[in-house]
Amino acid sequence: MELVDPDTRFHRSYLAALDELAEVGEERYAGLPDRPAEGDLPGVRFTRESLEDPDDFAALVAFLLRQRDPFAPRPRAYVPFTELWMAEGDEYLGRISLRHELNALLHEWGGHIGYAVRPSARRRGHATAALNRMLEVCAARGIDPVLVTCDVDNEASRRTIEGAGGSYEDTREGKLRYWVPAR
């Protein structure tokens, strides 16, 4: 497994992953951007249906890559982030995102890092490998310690975070909150 920039070569595999998430009732983990129009941002909304169009998928890829720029237009409630995709060859396995800073909501609930692995690729160590590699990115960006959260009932994610050295702080609004040292 490698972490790669979002790329249009993953179009069909990405859509298949969205379908898998829908089949198990986990659409919320798809991470499809849905941002209101605000300031210089005209608003964006990507759906499984719209992403069938290769041009819309290319727009999603461009949007994700643009979000790394701290000066990219975004609603006030959103922060710059780097999203990388877990991949084996041209097969999309999942995603991991690093929020470059924490606003009040992210400090309470979302954390610096979020990730999701498609159901058919789970229990193969991809989340663990991706989290450990993203902690290296955190160190390079000067983010240390790193806040990582997971749902209280997500045992696999809890084990992944603890395995990366996460120290449990508390539970807020159904989220376990851990501070993890950067690498």
Side-chain angles (χ1 to χ4, degrees), residues 63-134:
F63 174 82
L64 293 173
L65 294 173
R66 210 171 33 251
Q67 293 311 298
R68 298 171 182 187
D69 179 354
F71 303 107
R74 67 180 47 85
R76 283 188 306 272
Y78 292 84
V79 300
F81 66 91
T82 298
E83 180 165 313
L84 298 173
W85 289 355
M86 300 173 217
E88 285 180 345
D90 287 339
E91 185 74 14
Y92 172 90
L93 304 175
R95 64 179 179 80
I96 187 163
S97 299
L98 168 63
R99 298 163 192 111
H100 300 176
E101 58 194 59
L102 297 178
N103 59 23
L105 177 65
L106 292 173
H107 188 270
E108 287 294 312
W109 187 80
H112 285 103
I113 294 177
Y115 52 87
V117 177
R118 69 188 291 176
S120 64
R122 292 179 181 165
R123 296 186 177 176
R124 295 179 13 209
H126 299 313
T128 297
L131 178 57
N132 284 315
R133 290 183 193 148
M134 191 58 91

Side-chain angles (χ1 to χ4, degrees), residues 98 100 112 135 137-147 179-183:
L98 168 63
H100 300 176
H112 285 103
L135 290 169
V137 175
C138 291
R141 295 188 70 86
I143 301 170
D144 188 25
V146 180
L147 178 61
W179 290 97
V180 185
R183 306 249 189 276

Side-chain angles (χ1 to χ4, degrees), residues 118-180:
R118 69 188 291 176
S120 64
R122 292 179 181 165
R123 296 186 177 176
R124 295 179 13 209
H126 299 313
T128 297
L131 178 57
N132 284 315
R133 290 183 193 148
M134 191 58 91
L135 290 169
E136 294 171 6
V137 175
C138 291
R141 295 188 70 86
I143 301 170
D144 188 25
V146 180
L147 178 61
V148 185
T149 69
C150 68
D151 293 335
V152 294
D153 61 349
N154 191 335
E155 182 69 23
S157 190
R158 182 189 62 75
R159 284 193 314 269
T160 296
I161 297 166
E162 290 174 353
S167 296
Y168 174 76
E169 180 178 42
D170 60 15
T171 301
R172 300 182 192 179
E173 298 183 38
K175 295 286 186 178
L176 302 173
R177 297 173 73 251
Y178 292 87
W179 290 97
V180 185

